[in-house]
């Protein structure tokens, strides 16, 4: 069992930057692939980015590629999502998730993730 806690959300203007973080409990963080998803009001949860257990491979949604960067620090049990050039349509609750069974894959399917955080709100104002 692992617990995930996101932080760093907030209000930012269009074109601005924000970094959200997710801290995992337990000693096995480096065994998990990690992902970020988001859900806007009235919409389904969607994939944002993912990273393999050692950070060697990443995967991004088309909508954020070139603007967002996922990274991890296994010594700190933390995964980050750096968001630049933010748009109003990036407004959503951002969730981190852990994939315990496919650590060498950076999958975009939410069904493959085993553990989820509670989310952090990101609001981009125009």
């Amino acid at each position: 069992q692992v617990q995930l806690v996101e932080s760093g959300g907030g209000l930012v203007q269009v074109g601005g930057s924000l970094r959200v973080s997710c801290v995992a409990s337990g000693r096995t963080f480096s065994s998990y692939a990690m992902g970020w998803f988001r859900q806007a009001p009235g919409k389904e949860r969607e994939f944002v980015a993912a990273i393999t257990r050692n950070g060697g491979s990443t995967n991004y949604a088309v909508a954020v590629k070139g603007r967002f960067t996922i990274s991890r620090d296994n010594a700190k049990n933390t995964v980050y999502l750096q968001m630049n050039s933010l748009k109003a349509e990036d407004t959503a609750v951002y969730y981190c998730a852990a994939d315990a069974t496919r650590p060498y894959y950076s999958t975009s399917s939410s069904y493959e993730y085993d553990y989820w955080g509670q989310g952090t709100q990101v609001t981009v104002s125009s």
Side-chain angles (χ1 to χ4, degrees), residues 20-59:
V20 292
S21 304
C22 172
V23 178
S25 65
R27 302 178 182 178
T28 56
F29 175 76
S30 61
S31 299
Y32 304 141
M34 298 297 296
W36 284 98
F37 291 78
R38 67 186 182 186
Q39 187 167 20
K43 295 188 177 181
E44 293 186 353
R45 188 173 298 188
E46 65 176 1
F47 170 73
V48 176
I51 189 167
T52 52
R53 62 174 292 187
N54 60 359
S57 178
T58 57
N59 185 19

Side-chain angles (χ1 to χ4, degrees), residues 2-111:
V2 61
Q3 293 186 331
L4 304 173
V5 179
E6 301 97 334
S7 62
L11 176 64
V12 62
Q13 290 188 332
V14 168
S17 298
L18 199 64
R19 188 178 78 163
V20 292
S21 304
C22 172
V23 178
S25 65
R27 302 178 182 178
T28 56
F29 175 76
S30 61
S31 299
Y32 304 141
M34 298 297 296
W36 284 98
F37 291 78
R38 67 186 182 186
Q39 187 167 20
K43 295 188 177 181
E44 293 186 353
R45 188 173 298 188
E46 65 176 1
F47 170 73
V48 176
I51 189 167
T52 52
R53 62 174 292 187
N54 60 359
S57 178
T58 57
N59 185 19
Y60 294 94
V62 171
V64 307
K65 201 166 187 177
R67 299 188 297 122
F68 290 12
T69 302
I70 188 171
S71 62
R72 66 189 297 161
D73 185 338
N74 287 345
K76 296 182 178 180
N77 281 14
T78 303
V79 61
Y80 305 98
L81 184 68
Q82 176 67 44
M83 302 181 288
N84 299 328
S85 302
L86 282 161
K87 305 176 181 180
E89 51 264 42
D90 295 318
T91 296
V93 177
Y94 283 72
Y95 299 90
C96 72
D99 179 355
T101 54
R102 288 159 293 275
Y104 292 106
Y105 290 86
S106 51
T107 181
S108 60
S109 172
S110 62
Y111 297 103

